């Protein structure tokens, strides 16, 4: 089956922090004539901010419409569930920005309590969220299930709490299981396939995590490629019970060769500086 489109995870695949990984810029350049999208479980940045970050690091120009985040997927899902929904957002501003495209903020009678990542969880937001869930019947939503995420802060590598960790206090206090939006759940992949107009079996997902990128995509019938440039390193043993990828490579350089992607003559960037 010919690969007609490509989905790319970013952190651990294209870059670490603000540093591109070896071969990443060239790999994206090789996709110039292949429809492709960038997928992330990170709900903190808007698609516009993600596109700007890629540009600053030297990647070919990316349109915001080529970026799908778990925050945007959450907003789309909530709109389908309850058009014009009211929400109470817990997380960095990018989450509320995505939700506001379809709903409205409501800390008194929200339909949904939506937990993302980044600063925002404190005693007041936890108390308000619990009240909305228990007393007002709000549904508990989390943008992504990751327990922790990698980050570079002031030149120091840290593990930060992911969506799965930040939603835990709400779930424990209320006894309510959250609805999970991001990878490995299907919605982010389904939105990407819909945007590309591509059948699952014609699309390749490139990621660095067996439990989210590979398992989620394989479950929908996408072809999958793992690059061991993220936390799941070269010597890591494959997790028991998870589907193996179609390609398992150390880096994007090796994957480009395995896929026989045509060389990019140059990385195209618009002359006008973004921002």
């Amino acid at each position: 089956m010919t690969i007609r489109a490509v989905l790319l995870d970013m952190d651990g695949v294209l870059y670490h922090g603000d540093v591109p990984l070896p071969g990443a810029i060239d790999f994206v350049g090789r996709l110039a004539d292949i429809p492709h999208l960038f997928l992330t479980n990170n709900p903190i940045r808007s698609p516009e901010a993600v596109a700007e970050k890629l540009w600053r690091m030297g990647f070919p120009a990316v349109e915001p419409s080529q970026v799908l985040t778990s925050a945007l997927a959450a907003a789309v899902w909530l709109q389908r569930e309850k058009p014009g929904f009211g929400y109470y957002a817990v997380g960095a501003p990018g989450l509320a920005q995505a939700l506001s495209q379809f709903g409205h903020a409501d800390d008194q009678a929200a339909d949904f309590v939506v937990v993302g990542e980044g600063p925002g969880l404190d005693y007041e937001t936890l108390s308000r969220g619990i009240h909305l869930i228990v007393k007002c019947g709000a549904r508990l939503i989390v943008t992504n299930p990751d327990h922790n995420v990698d980050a570079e802060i002031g030149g120091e590598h840290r593990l930060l709490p992911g969506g799965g960790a930040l939603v835990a206090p709400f779930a424990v206090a209320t006894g309510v299981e959250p609805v999970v939006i991001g990878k490995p759940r299907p919605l982010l992949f389904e939105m990407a396939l819909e945007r590309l107009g591509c059948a699952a079996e014609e699309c390749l997902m490139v990621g660095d995590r067996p439990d989210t990128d590979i398992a989620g995509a394989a479950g929908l019938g996408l072809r999958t490629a793992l690059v061991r440039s993220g936390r799941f390193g070269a010597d890591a043993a494959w997790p028991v019970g998870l589907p193996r990828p179609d390609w398992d490579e150390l880096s994007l350089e090796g994957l480009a060769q395995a896929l026989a992607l045509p060389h990019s003559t140059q990385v195209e960037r618009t002359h006008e500086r973004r921002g």
Side-chain angles (χ1 to χ4, degrees):
M1 176 67 70
T2 301
I3 294 173
R4 291 186 50 233
V6 177
L7 306 180
L8 289 159
D9 182 52
M10 288 182 281
D11 197 1
V13 174
L14 300 180
Y15 55 76
H16 283 161
D18 292 321
V19 180
L21 286 165
I25 292 174
D26 176 70
F27 187 90
V28 175
R30 291 176 183 234
L31 298 179
D33 296 324
I34 302 174
H36 58 282
L37 296 177
F38 301 87
L39 269 60
T40 177
N41 263 3
N42 188 329
I44 294 176
R45 289 186 174 90
S46 67
E48 291 78 11
V50 172
E52 171 66 21
K53 174 175 179 171
L54 292 171
W55 169 262
R56 289 198 312 269
M57 287 192 292
F59 286 91
V62 173
E63 294 299 324
S65 60
Q66 290 179 273
V67 179
L68 287 175
T69 71
S70 62
L72 181 58
V76 170
W77 187 84
L78 297 182
Q79 173 68 1
R80 292 174 181 173
E81 289 290 299
K82 187 176 179 64
F85 61 89
Y87 65 84
Y88 183 67
V90 181
L95 174 60
Q97 181 180 343
L99 297 175
S100 67
Q101 295 181 45
F102 301 97
H104 60 278
D106 185 349
D107 64 358
Q108 299 299 314
D111 301 298
F112 303 98
V113 172
V114 189
V115 180
E117 291 180 358
L121 176 62
D122 57 22
Y123 190 80
E124 174 57 31
T125 54
L126 178 60
S127 300
R128 173 57 57 183
I130 291 171
H131 174 79
L132 289 168
I133 295 166
V134 174
K135 298 297 185 180
C136 302
R139 296 176 67 182
L140 179 60
I141 313 296
V142 64
T143 56
N144 60 297
D146 305 80
H147 293 162
N148 52 60
V149 294
D150 295 290
E152 295 288 334
I153 300 178
E156 177 187 11
H157 178 264
R158 295 187 191 176
L159 280 182
L160 301 181
L166 294 171
V167 78
F170 296 92
V172 171
T174 63
V176 172
E177 283 294 316
V179 174
V180 181
I181 300 296
K183 301 175 291 185
R185 299 299 172 90
L187 183 60
L188 204 57
F189 299 109
E190 291 171 344
M191 285 180 63
L193 293 172
E194 182 179 347
R195 188 167 292 189
L196 290 167
C198 181
E201 63 272 14
E202 298 174 322
C203 189
L204 173 69
M205 174 67 205
V206 182
D208 68 318
R209 295 189 58 160
D211 56 337
T212 56
D213 301 318
I214 304 305
L220 283 176
L222 281 77
R223 305 187 74 178
T224 57
L226 180 89
V227 288
R228 294 182 179 244
S229 50
R231 197 187 305 178
F232 191 77
D235 298 327
W238 194 258
V240 176
L242 292 184
R244 287 190 174 272
D246 296 291
W247 290 272
D248 187 339
E249 300 290 339
L250 294 179
S251 67
L252 286 176
E253 293 170 314
L255 181 60
Q257 294 178 10
L259 296 174
L261 290 178
H263 285 280
S264 174
T265 55
Q266 72 177 76
V267 176
E268 296 183 2
R269 289 164 62 84
T270 60
H271 295 291
E272 182 179 351
R273 183 177 180 82
R274 288 181 179 266

